[in-house]
Amino acid sequence: MNKPLPAAARWAIWSVSLALLCGAAWTRLDRAHPVNTDVLAMLPAEQGSDALAAATARSRDAFVHQVLVLVSGQDVPATRDAALAAQRSLSAAGLRPDASLSVDQVLAVYREHHFALLDAEQANTLAQGGAATLTREVAVGLASPAGLMGSFDQDPGGYFTAFLSGLPRPYADFLPDGPFLTALRGDRRYFLLSLQSQGEGFEQEAATRVTQAVQQARAAVARACPACTLEATGAPLFADAARQEAQSETLWLSAVSTLLIMVLIAFAFRSLAPHVLAGLQLVASVLAACAAVILCFGSIQILTLVFGTTLLGIAVDYALLYFAEYWFGGRKPKNVMAAVRPGLYMGLATGVLAFAFLMLAGFPALMQIAVFSIAGLVEAALVVVLVFPVTLTGASKVAAHPSVDWPRRFVAAACRPSRWRLWLPAAVLLLCVPGWFLLKTSDDVRDLQQLPPALVSTDTAIRGTLGQAAPPGFFMVQGRDLEQALTREEALFAELHKSLPGSAPLGLSRFLPSAARQQRSFAAWSKAFSQPKLLRSSLAHLGLPSRLADRMLERWQDDPRQTLDAATLFVAAPDLKRFVLPDADGVALLSTVTGKGDIDPTLLSQAAGTVPGASFEEPLVHIAATFHRIRVRTTWLVVLGYLLISTLLVWRYGRREAVRMLFPPLLALGVTLGALGWLGEPVNIFVVVALILILGLGRDYTVFLREGGATRRSPALAVSLSALTMLCSFGLLALSAIPALHAFGIATLAGILTSYLSAPLSLPPEEEA
């Protein structure tokens, strides 16, 4: 007979193992952002070409770092002073201006190549009309309010000025004014600052710094101009608000769950020891779970942390099983572990197996949840096996009160032979059938977090003032070299100009014409200057001296007529390199398009389809497709996992009894799906996780009853308390403001309640009390 381990050895094994796990996690901890609030980081790596992955990453970076600040007021000088105060405050906080707003660095380069900058329409017109067309453009320029008397010989026809004025501006109705872009709307003057945050956009500290910087800038504006207002929007502000919301939910969910669990323990066992031991187990479980996640991933996702607080309801199941047997099972303390061991080990095995299949889903968020849950469950069982037997060594002095016998009476009544054992579940399922046909799915990543209404309203107001909706995606134009890619992008933008006249495309070709277009520009100028006599006489007809024509001809003859290349432009404006993407097969260009209102992505895809090598990519559509694949894959993993759990039950209890024990969780599955359909809640990836809990852990009830004996008080009490604690923890998620967790909470609420009420159906009728 094996001699049991001494108490000191048990405590040492448990404490050392937990300490080693936490120590290893500490070495892997990403101290810059231990809690990751970036929802997109939970997604699998981008599949496809290197260029598409790079384009998605750059588009994402541009989104997560941009912060728009809008200062407005009726008193223009006072409003500008307030905007300057905000600019100084934000700059001191580390937010830098968007480098893409300035073209001063490239003016000298453009001047050196101004004969190469005609657009396609200008080049065709000038080539066809020659000197006559050039003279006509000069006349038009002279008739304009600004006139060209002092500069038309350096910019004949005003073509260079037209090129500069046509360079992309991020917000067409806002004009440069020092460090700002400014516009007048009604009787209010608006000053816009487009800024870039430092660090990772979703990093906790970086997002918090941006929020604090905006608050300080708002205070600076209030001091400079009390009648002025400051509004701001940007991904860091949303990330910080989401983090605060999630942390707030984690706090109150943990507090309420723990309080309810402790109240249940106090009501049932009426002793201090269960509180101490259950508290020790819960703390150890959550600590081990967090350490395991950090050890595997370096940090922990905020959704994993919120979800993980609900582990309290599962981890305490094993403690409740032990407490029920120790206090009210009628056994000697040294025999309690032997009595609960079969149910404990079977519950642990099926629970770990259910969560282990999440590791195969290919979804980082589910992998974190799986690691968190498995580590937490194993630690919870380890505490029960090692610590409880050497702590609860004396006989229980708490007498059985009437309330602890209610669960046994319920189970005994449900086990009596009756036609209601068949008809009642059938009626419930019949009511759920219409709900099945009302089910809808959701794979939208935006459902993973709650966007604060105030921030959403502010963002909408700012976008409306700017007169520009956020682009639904981006274009990727590929070519064998940069020249071909530029030519194709020019063709794409020409197509957009025809199909969407109000759109404003933004890409490298707006700053750097292709070599072919530049050569056509040279050819057009050559045609205009090939008729010097006609040019002189035309200018004389306008009353201008002929020597001005000679000066233009000299400038043309002295010009080296070299095409502007990317290397030269990038030296002057390095920020333009962001449009060029690495591509193993050549070169790819990233571009986008904006408009006054929302643009139909279908039209953009159709325009891209007319140009070889061009495609329109919608990141949210790609993400939704990824979520769909993962949800379908996870659903099949649930089926496969449940088949393996069924095999385990058949091995343990035999085929007939295993089928009987599978009935309650299958009934819970049907009721849960029906409830979701009736309530209009979408089935998303986290609802599938809830189904895993219902099918795997909810089945603990049948194991506990089967192993403990349905007519005995302690297993029925343990199952009842377990169900109540799970409802206290998982069910509370139904109150979450995060849509994904809200649906998860409703699913577990319906599933666990059904699992508990139908658990006696797993026992044959002849086992009545």
Side-chain angles (χ1 to χ4, degrees):
M1 184 175 181
N2 293 331
K3 185 178 180 180
L5 284 173
R10 288 171 174 264
W11 278 98
I13 292 173
W14 170 70
S15 57
V16 169
S17 63
L18 182 60
L20 288 175
L21 178 61
C22 293
W26 180 256
T27 63
R28 283 270 295 148
L29 178 64
D30 184 353
R31 292 170 179 79
H33 38 86
V35 179
N36 194 341
T37 59
D38 185 356
V39 175
L40 300 181
M42 300 187 305
L43 302 177
E46 183 72 35
Q47 302 296 316
S49 67
D50 293 340
L52 178 58
T56 302
R58 290 192 187 179
S59 176
R60 172 181 178 273
D61 288 344
F63 166 73
V64 302
H65 287 106
Q66 187 182 52
V67 179
L68 297 177
V69 177
L70 202 61
V71 179
S72 64
Q74 294 179 331
D75 185 336
V76 176
T79 304
R80 196 177 195 282
D81 290 341
L84 285 171
Q87 188 264 340
R88 288 191 295 267
S89 176
L90 293 166
S91 177
L95 276 72
R96 58 182 177 84
D98 189 339
S100 64
L101 292 179
S102 175
V103 296
D104 292 341
Q105 302 93 327
V106 298
L107 286 179
V109 174
Y110 284 144
R111 286 194 184 98
E112 292 176 4
H113 299 83
H114 70 277
F115 285 118
L117 302 179
L118 295 178
D119 62 29
E121 183 179 354
Q122 291 169 336
N124 290 336
T125 304
L126 190 59
Q128 293 174 5
T133 297
L134 177 58
T135 304
R136 185 172 63 250
E137 293 299 326
V138 170
V140 171
L142 288 174
S144 68
L148 292 174
M149 287 300 296
S151 62
F152 82 95
D153 62 317
Q154 299 179 9
D155 180 17
Y159 294 108
F160 180 59
T161 301
F163 171 80
L164 293 179
S165 64
L167 287 175
R169 295 201 307 267
Y171 309 103
D173 296 336
F174 278 68
L175 299 176
D177 181 4
F180 312 111
L181 292 175
T182 183
L184 185 65
R185 294 283 190 274
D187 61 348
R188 294 184 72 84
R189 172 62 65 175
Y190 289 85
F191 291 93
L192 173 67
L193 280 168
S194 181
L195 306 167
Q196 293 285 315
S197 64
Q198 302 296 311
E200 296 293 332
F202 288 109
E203 182 187 48
Q204 177 178 339
E205 293 184 4
T208 301
R209 284 197 301 269
V210 172
T211 300
Q212 293 172 348
V214 169
Q215 291 172 348
Q216 293 167 1
R218 187 172 285 115
V221 167
R223 289 191 297 269
C225 176
C228 298
T229 61
L230 182 147
E231 296 176 314
T233 187
L237 298 175
F238 281 92
D240 188 59
R243 177 190 59 80
Q244 292 183 27
E245 176 73 21
Q247 287 183 346
S248 174
E249 284 200 1
T250 301
L251 262 169
W252 79 261
L253 282 174
S254 299
V256 174
S257 296
T258 303
L259 179 62
L260 290 175
I261 290 171
M262 292 306 175
V263 167
L264 285 172
I265 291 175
F267 177 76
F269 303 109
R270 305 184 181 184
S271 174
L272 180 62
H275 290 285
V276 176
L277 291 176
L280 175 68
Q281 185 204 41
L282 293 178
V283 171
S285 298
V286 174
L287 190 60
C290 291
V293 170
I294 292 172
L295 184 61
C296 295
F297 302 98
S299 64
I300 187 167
Q301 274 287 339
I302 192 69
L303 277 177
T304 304
L305 195 58
V306 175
F307 175 88
T309 61
T310 59
L311 181 69
L312 304 175
I314 308 173
V316 80
D317 283 358
Y318 307 146
L320 294 174
L321 182 65
Y322 195 97
F323 294 159
E325 186 64 35
Y326 174 80
W327 260 268
F328 306 117
R331 300 180 188 273
K332 294 181 179 180
K334 63 180 181 180
N335 297 328
V336 172
M337 189 66 236
V340 302
R341 185 181 291 116
L344 174 64
Y345 286 175
M346 279 299 296
L348 177 64
T350 54
V352 168
L353 187 61
F355 280 112
F357 274 86
L358 291 181
M359 301 288 290
L360 306 177
F363 185 23
L366 293 187
M367 293 175 67
Q368 279 205 15
I369 290 175
V371 171
F372 191 101
S373 301
I374 291 173
L377 291 178
V378 170
E379 181 65 24
L382 196 63
V383 173
V384 172
V385 172
L386 291 177
V387 176
F388 283 17
V390 297
T391 305
L392 299 173
T393 55
S396 170
K397 297 179 181 180
V398 178
H401 45 93
S403 57
V404 301
D405 200 46
W406 293 346
R408 185 196 64 80
R409 294 178 183 177
F410 163 69
V411 173
C415 286
R416 295 192 186 104
S418 171
R419 63 177 181 271
W420 290 107
R421 283 174 58 92
L422 175 63
W423 288 110
L424 188 58
V428 172
L429 276 179
L430 190 62
L431 288 174
C432 291
V433 170
W436 299 348
F437 295 98
L438 297 175
L439 281 173
K440 57 183 179 181
T441 59
S442 173
D443 300 307
D444 194 335
V445 68
R446 289 168 290 192
D447 287 344
L448 293 181
Q449 59 182 346
Q450 171 68 11
L451 300 179
L455 283 180
V456 173
S457 177
T458 300
D459 181 80
T460 303
I462 290 177
R463 301 289 179 185
T465 301
L466 298 178
Q468 183 185 96
F474 57 84
F475 291 104
M476 190 172 68
V477 182
Q478 296 174 288
R480 63 177 176 272
D481 52 30
L482 182 60
E483 172 63 17
Q484 186 180 58
L486 284 170
T487 302
R488 290 176 171 178
E489 188 176 85
E490 289 170 347
L492 172 63
F493 289 173
E495 179 63 28
L496 288 173
H497 181 69
K498 290 189 297 184
S499 58
L500 294 168
S503 64
L506 175 63
L508 183 61
S509 63
R510 295 288 305 276
F511 300 92
L512 176 65
S514 64
R517 177 177 146 188
Q518 293 184 60
Q519 290 296 341
R520 289 193 296 271
S521 181
F522 288 141
W525 282 112
S526 179
K527 179 67 180 296
F529 290 124
S530 66
Q531 301 170 302
K533 292 183 179 180
L534 177 59
L535 181 60
R536 291 189 185 95
S537 62
S538 298
L539 290 176
H541 183 71
L542 295 174
L544 297 173
S546 60
R547 58 186 171 81
L548 294 180
D550 295 334
R551 287 170 58 181
M552 286 191 294
L553 288 168
E554 288 175 6
R555 288 178 62 83
W556 167 251
Q557 291 167 357
D558 292 341
D559 193 273
R561 301 172 208 173
Q562 294 180 346
T563 57
L564 174 61
D565 58 69
T568 302
L569 184 61
F570 289 162
V571 169
D575 191 58
L576 295 180
K577 292 180 181 179
R578 72 185 190 276
F579 292 115
V580 183
L581 304 169
D583 188 7
D585 299 324
V587 175
L589 296 178
L590 173 67
S591 58
T592 187
V593 62
T594 57
K596 293 292 185 181
D598 294 334
I599 302 176
D600 186 356
T602 303
L603 297 178
L604 300 180
S605 296
Q606 291 173 352
T610 64
V611 178
S615 63
F616 180 69
E617 307 293 341
E618 297 180 76
L620 287 179
V621 172
H622 284 295
I623 292 171
T626 301
F627 266 62
H628 174 75
R629 291 195 303 270
I630 293 173
R631 178 172 54 79
V632 172
R633 185 190 307 167
T634 305
T635 302
W636 283 111
L637 288 173
V638 171
V639 174
L640 180 60
Y642 202 63
L643 288 175
L644 288 179
I645 291 176
S646 302
T647 303
L648 190 61
L649 294 177
V650 170
W651 169 77
R652 172 68 178 170
Y653 303 108
R655 184 172 57 186
R656 182 174 179 179
E657 291 303 311
V659 171
R660 190 191 299 275
M661 295 177 69
L662 291 174
F663 178 72
L666 287 176
L667 176 64
L669 173 63
V671 171
T672 300
L673 294 177
L676 291 173
W678 278 116
L679 295 174
E681 294 291 338
V683 176
N684 54 35
I685 189 68
F686 287 95
V687 170
V688 176
V689 176
L691 299 182
I692 293 176
L693 287 172
I694 294 165
L695 294 175
L697 301 181
R699 200 219 31 69
D700 281 353
Y701 307 149
T702 61
V703 171
F704 289 172
L705 290 177
R706 176 72 186 186
E707 293 291 346
T711 58
R712 296 186 62 246
R713 180 194 300 141
S714 58
L717 177 62
V719 167
S720 300
L721 291 176
S722 173
L724 288 173
T725 54
M726 290 190 74
L727 292 174
C728 289
S729 53
F730 285 104
L732 285 176
L733 288 178
L735 304 177
S736 174
I738 301 175
L741 296 181
H742 172 71
F744 176 87
I746 289 178
T748 52
L749 192 64
I752 298 304
L753 186 60
T754 306
S755 294
Y756 170 68
L757 294 177
S758 62
L761 300 179
S762 65
L763 302 169
E766 59 266 25
E767 289 194 20
E768 65 173 301

